[in-house]
Amino acid sequence: MKPAERLKIPPTVMPEQDPKLRIQNVNEVPLGYTPEMAMVEAKRCLQCKTPFCIEGCPVGIDIPGFICAIEKGDFKEGIHVLKQRNLLPAVCGRVCPQEEQCQAMCVIGKAKKDPAKAVMIGKLEMFLADWERKQGEYATPPEVRKTGKKVAIVGGGPAGLTVAGDLIKYGHDVTVYEAFHKAGGVLVYGIPEFRLPKAIVQTEVEYLQKLGVKFRYNFIVGRTAPVAKVVEENDAVFIGTGAGLPRFMRVEGENLLGVLSANEYLTRANLMKAYSFPQTDTPIVKGRTVITVGGGNVAMDCARTALRMGAERSLIVYRRAEEQMPARLEELHHAKEEGVEFHLLNNPVRLVGDDTGWLKGAELIKMELGKPDASGRRRPMPIEGSEYILEADILIVAIGNSPNPLIPASYPELDVTNWGGIIVNEVTGQTSVPGVFAGGDIVLGAATVILAMGHGRRAARAMNLYLSSGRWTDLEDGLELCRAEVR
Amino acid sequence: MHKILHKEILGPDVTLYRFYAPDIAQYRQPGQFVLIRISDEGERIPITLADVDRSEGSITLIIQSVGKTTLKLAQMNVGDSIPDIAGPLGEPTHIELLGHVLCVGGGIGTAPLYPVAKAMKDLGNRVTSIIGARSENLLILEDRMKAVSDKMVITTDDGSKGKKGLVTDAISELVESGEKFDQCVCMGPPIMMKFVCLLTKKLGIPTIVSLNPIMVDGTGMCGGCRVTVGGKTKFACVDGPEFDGHQVDFDEMMARLNTYKNHERKALEHYSKETGCRLEASLNKGESK
């Protein structure tokens, strides 16, 4: 096939559940490609000699490689290529912001002057992972010689699971310490079922267990055992405890009944399966009108969850305009399709309650955009005298999270930034304590699943070198030497 | 899995359990709590630790059956197991040599109070305890509390045991009789803690209280347990559970405890339908809590 012909093929639209129907269930919204659809979509890839898409991928997946295999219909080869770089393709195919990463770099998208028309790399990745799961067979890598080195992974989220998967393959003895009763971190407590079915995460965790990774649940490092003890009893430690401290707005009325953090709302709905209450035991507040404050993916998740919990109206209140929203376009699009209303350029200044202490509305002030601020986005400025009350019985605060302070607070040996993030060497993930590495949101603040996995991937490589060489200072230089071999 | 090693009925709807949980027993300090989940569909509920036995690898929890989870748990027996106990969580009580410590426990609150009273006594403090309940059969840990107290007063609302009246009456009487306290530690129903704090504030006795608000994870992640202390929002799970009682906004805290009141009722109704047993008595109690 000639490149010109490939360019002519339109993007293959993935079928989705009808918006009106899907807000009545928690099933996944996209229905997946058929093998035929995937093979057509794969034909759109030009197989560039210098594949920019790989540069856009935080874990450096051989994207043209797996797409080429799909085009040939060799899905087994495709999943093999994919898994060399990404242990959690079913997750990443669904939740990575491809439009800012691989697909933003895709030549097709550039030629069409629209990243939305790039090769649907994420959807193809999802297809392969789902294909493998449906086969029910998982290719396990060949047995490796055990090194006898003990590694503790603190936190079973995307970063920790990536490190665990990589280090077990190098032959180390890996244990993941997870505070919850299930592994997956934000993948199980945060991202809703309709965006990432929990069975998929469970399969990925079981795969790691099959490889030999041990999981200790309900184990809160820093409480169940002191951090120092875990450090002492292991040859290396990776801290990936995430950004689990919800930020609140600090406005009057924030402790009224019916006001809750996105973390609490989503954890109840997802991890604790409150959508099945009272068949399951964890309750969740249901409102007729639900306001979600924030403009990121988490805010979209909350607003869409609220609809599924039976809200008559679900509104997003965001202080900037749509162009400044950090949410992925796809999430925004899905939310709009489902009937989420957007009150943009609005900011809560006060929450008002009834005489039982339950929320009855939010006083909002209208905003206008001023000059760009430190983030490069135009700063929202309140318009004086524009306050008004928006009635609602539930308000979810989805304005971000700070790094979880539990480990830094109980282990002062670790150097942290003034906002509580653990300070690491960016290349290796090394912290200020020899043998201790960190990555993901505990370093980045609230970021994305794939960035956390990229961190995990880099840290795992450095940890392996550290475990085999015992070298701590200038570990980065040692990595440089073996980089050519790895890349 | 955590096996029930021992089960003892302490009173109507109040049960003491010893669970096998060696990791938690090893590092737990007085004042800390755990989150338990009794089945795969279960909710996570916070329970303050009443005691540990490191040689047995066990933790002691004293639990009042008020909701679906606690009622289901009460149906379980020695040898049965529950899937999840996470902890120990929260900041431990600051135990120091203060002089004369007044320990005030109300109802089930005497359970978490006991390890604190014991630690205070072990360090050489003089300990005076007041334990109160609505009625004699609701008093718990009387012997254990007596063993760690230099002096103990019992109060019941109906006068069925000890002095008739409230714990606050007993505090006033002690102070009037000339007792001087350097510190008060108070654990019990929110309404009791509120009135004890109002009184001790007037009497100038520094008072710490242990709060047990609604929480999901217990590690600072959900923020469901936020309470206003000294005008600032705190998370009871990581900043507490103990706070300066004179600074706590009890009215807000009590209102917030009602967030899921209707849900709790619904869960119980569902449970009673499921099991066919009558739980009306429990339903009413759930309401009064």
Side-chain angles (χ1 to χ4, degrees):
Chain A
M1 221 179 188
K2 290 205 174 73
E5 289 174 77
R6 291 181 185 270
L7 258 167
K8 274 190 202 142
I9 308 170
T12 315
V13 178
M14 183 175 278
E16 291 179 345
Q17 271 200 81
D18 181 83
K20 287 199 185 66
L21 294 178
R22 73 189 188 220
I23 59 169
Q24 295 168 39
N25 64 52
V26 292
N27 301 338
E28 192 170 16
V29 170
L31 299 169
Y33 279 154
T34 60
E36 294 73 29
M37 286 175 181
M39 286 163 75
V40 169
E41 183 59 27
K43 283 198 175 72
R44 299 183 63 232
C45 174
L46 296 180
Q47 296 291 325
C48 304
K49 287 227 166 58
T50 314
F52 293 112
C53 52
I54 300 185
E55 276 172 41
C57 175
V59 295
I61 295 170
D62 176 6
I63 293 163
F66 84 74
I67 295 184
C68 179
I70 295 179
E71 191 183 343
K72 287 187 206 142
D74 189 352
F75 305 141
K76 202 168 183 176
E77 168 64 15
I79 193 76
H80 174 73
V81 174
L82 196 48
K83 282 212 164 165
Q84 280 178 346
R85 283 275 164 186
N86 186 354
L87 271 173
L88 308 168
V91 172
C92 293
R94 288 171 166 83
V95 304
C96 270
Q98 291 100 6
E99 64 282 355
E100 293 167 18
Q101 299 176 348
C102 51
Q103 289 176 203
M105 309 289 274
C106 173
V107 173
I108 303 267
K110 283 190 176 149
K112 307 236 181 218
K113 296 195 172 58
D114 182 358
K117 294 195 171 131
V119 176
M120 300 285 110
I121 299 169
K123 298 201 161 57
L124 288 171
E125 181 181 23
M126 169 177 166
F127 164 77
L128 275 183
D130 290 352
W131 175 86
E132 187 191 37
R133 203 172 57 255
K134 277 178 208 144
Q135 304 300 303
E137 266 176 53
Y138 288 85
T140 38
E143 284 268 319
V144 282
R145 203 167 51 84
K146 298 277 176 276
T147 61
K149 300 279 187 191
K150 268 179 77 181
V151 182
I153 314 276
V154 185
L161 293 182
T162 303
V163 176
D166 281 1
L167 291 184
I168 199 83
K169 283 198 221 160
Y170 290 126
H172 305 302
D173 178 4
V174 181
T175 305
V176 176
Y177 294 89
E178 167 57 46
F180 269 128
H181 52 270
K182 262 195 192 121
V186 73
L187 306 176
V188 294
Y189 74 71
I191 302 176
E193 179 77 14
F194 56 83
R195 208 146 76 74
L196 176 65
K198 300 306 149 228
I200 289 175
V201 183
Q202 192 54 35
T203 313
E204 309 276 27
V205 170
E206 280 164 17
Y207 175 71
L208 291 178
Q209 273 171 332
K210 214 154 119 187
L211 297 182
V213 176
K214 286 170 271 185
F215 286 86
R216 294 288 308 273
Y217 295 107
N218 300 312
F219 200 110
I220 304 103
V221 173
R223 292 275 196 226
T224 311
V227 183
K229 181 169 178 261
V230 174
V231 171
E232 198 183 289
E233 288 178 354
N234 286 276
D235 297 299
V237 175
F238 177 81
I239 300 171
T241 45
L245 193 74
R247 278 192 214 130
F248 283 90
M249 302 178 292
R250 298 177 186 225
V251 299
E252 184 191 327
E254 210 163 11
N255 290 347
L256 286 167
L257 281 72
V259 181
L260 65 172
S261 73
N263 276 354
E264 178 176 1
Y265 191 68
L266 293 173
T267 302
R268 286 177 180 275
N270 298 316
L271 179 75
M272 306 309 294
K273 298 201 177 77
Y275 52 76
S276 298
F277 180 86
Q279 275 74 37
T280 52
D281 295 346
T282 306
I284 190 165
V285 285
K286 292 182 184 181
R288 290 167 64 160
T289 307
V290 178
I291 294 177
T292 303
V293 181
N297 291 325
V298 173
M300 301 303 135
D301 287 346
C302 292
R304 296 174 67 197
T305 298
L307 289 172
R308 284 159 176 81
M309 300 307 303
E312 286 164 25
R313 290 179 75 195
S314 178
L315 309 107
I316 290 271
V317 168
Y318 180 54
R319 63 197 182 117
R320 300 182 197 244
E322 184 168 326
E323 301 77 66
Q324 285 91 29
M325 272 196 162
R328 293 183 62 197
L329 280 177
E330 190 177 331
E331 304 310 326
L332 201 60
H333 167 72
H334 278 149
K336 282 182 182 168
E337 266 188 348
E338 291 172 6
V340 172
E341 298 166 47
F342 288 80
H343 283 234
L344 304 174
L345 289 165
N346 274 280
N347 203 29
V349 287
R350 180 169 74 95
L351 306 181
V352 194
D354 63 17
D355 48 15
T356 66
W358 198 284
L359 178 78
K360 74 174 182 194
E363 184 176 317
L364 306 180
I365 190 164
K366 293 188 175 158
M367 312 288 279
E368 60 188 345
L369 294 176
K371 296 218 163 65
D373 63 11
S375 75
R377 297 180 296 177
R378 290 176 64 190
R379 182 195 296 274
M381 314 281 281
I383 303 171
E384 254 173 70
S386 67
E387 295 90 342
Y388 67 105
I389 301 267
L390 183 61
E391 284 189 15
D393 40 10
I394 302 289
L395 185 137
I396 303 163
V397 185
I399 57 170
N401 287 291
S402 305
N404 195 312
L406 199 63
I407 297 239
S410 62
Y411 194 60
E413 288 86 339
L414 281 175
D415 287 349
V416 294
T417 65
N418 54 11
W419 47 268
I422 296 180
I423 297 171
V424 298
N425 175 318
E426 279 180 28
V427 178
T428 61
Q430 289 169 288
T431 68
S432 53
V433 180
V436 181
F437 299 74
D441 281 1
I442 188 72
V443 169
L444 293 161
T448 62
V449 168
I450 190 71
L451 283 175
M453 292 174 60
H455 262 211
R457 169 59 41 83
R458 285 197 294 276
R461 207 186 298 159
M463 288 169 82
N464 184 47
L465 181 64
Y466 166 70
L467 287 166
S468 54
S469 67
R471 170 176 176 172
W472 180 257
T473 41
D474 302 327
L475 189 60
E476 198 176 331
D477 300 342
L479 272 182
E480 283 300 326
L481 293 174
C482 53
R483 174 153 301 174
E485 166 200 340
V486 177
R487 246 301 204 241
Chain B
M1 295 298 271
H2 302 275
K3 199 179 261 187
I4 301 174
L5 303 175
H6 177 80
K7 182 181 170 186
E8 191 181 328
I9 311 289
L10 297 187
D13 298 323
V14 179
T15 313
L16 177 150
Y17 305 86
R18 280 210 314 275
F19 286 100
Y20 182 67
D23 289 332
I24 297 171
Q26 193 178 357
Y27 289 104
R28 158 271 183 195
Q29 289 168 270
Q32 290 187 301
F33 66 96
V34 291
L35 277 151
I36 68 169
R37 206 173 71 112
I38 65 165
S39 72
D40 278 343
E41 303 299 329
E43 59 181 335
R44 295 164 63 94
I45 57 169
I47 310 276
T48 309
L49 286 150
D51 209 350
V52 297
D53 182 338
R54 292 195 175 117
S55 60
E56 187 184 46
S58 71
I59 60 170
T60 301
L61 303 180
I62 295 175
I63 300 174
Q64 190 167 16
S65 308
V66 287
K68 181 180 173 185
T69 299
T70 46
L71 278 165
K72 266 170 109 171
L73 180 62
Q75 307 288 317
M76 299 175 81
N77 291 307
V78 172
D80 292 341
S81 294
I82 65 168
D84 303 298
I85 305 181
L89 295 163
E91 288 294 319
T93 309
H94 194 65
I95 306 284
E96 58 180 325
L97 192 57
L98 296 156
H100 192 181
V101 179
L102 175 64
C103 293
V104 183
I108 191 87
T110 307
L113 181 66
Y114 167 70
V116 175
K118 183 173 186 293
M120 287 290 189
K121 176 75 192 161
D122 287 348
L123 209 69
N125 288 293
R126 185 169 158 229
V127 173
T128 296
S129 298
I130 302 171
I131 60 171
R134 285 201 308 276
S135 184
E136 180 183 7
N137 59 358
L138 294 166
L139 279 171
I140 59 166
L141 302 187
E142 196 186 318
D143 295 341
R144 278 180 236 210
M145 283 301 288
K146 200 172 265 170
V148 297
S149 307
D150 295 277
K151 181 175 183 177
M152 191 166 86
V153 179
I154 291 172
T155 67
T156 50
D157 296 9
D158 61 2
S160 50
K161 178 138 195 191
K163 287 184 178 19
K164 182 174 174 7
L166 303 171
V167 291
T168 41
D169 302 333
I171 297 173
S172 299
E173 273 178 39
L174 286 169
V175 171
E176 275 159 28
S177 75
E179 293 279 13
K180 295 234 180 321
F181 300 107
D182 301 294
Q183 176 78 47
C184 171
V185 182
C186 175
M187 299 184 194
I191 188 78
M192 182 202 96
M193 292 194 283
K194 174 184 168 176
F195 282 101
V196 167
C197 287
L198 284 173
L199 177 63
T200 56
K201 193 170 184 180
K202 217 162 51 187
L203 298 171
I205 308 168
T207 302
I208 51 175
V209 291
S210 178
L211 307 183
N212 196 4
I214 294 166
M215 41 179 95
V216 181
D217 62 296
T219 60
M221 210 197 76
C222 80
C225 65
R226 56 197 195 279
V227 287
T228 302
V229 182
K232 289 197 178 110
T233 294
K234 300 275 179 192
F235 288 4
C237 65
V238 287
D239 300 320
E242 294 183 358
F243 294 102
D244 175 353
H246 296 159
Q247 304 284 326
V248 172
D249 183 341
F250 283 103
D251 292 334
E252 178 190 272
M253 192 193 108
M254 286 187 277
R256 287 181 60 80
L257 280 169
N258 285 330
T259 304
Y260 295 98
K261 204 169 142 188
N262 292 333
H263 291 82
E264 283 157 19
R265 172 173 280 274
K266 209 170 150 189
L268 272 174
E269 281 165 2
H270 179 79
Y271 178 57
S272 69
K273 238 183 263 166
E274 235 177 21
T275 54
C277 63
R278 280 182 68 239
L279 293 165
E280 275 150 40
S282 307
L283 281 174
N284 296 333
K285 213 169 297 149
E287 215 170 41
S288 70
K289 200 199 165 188

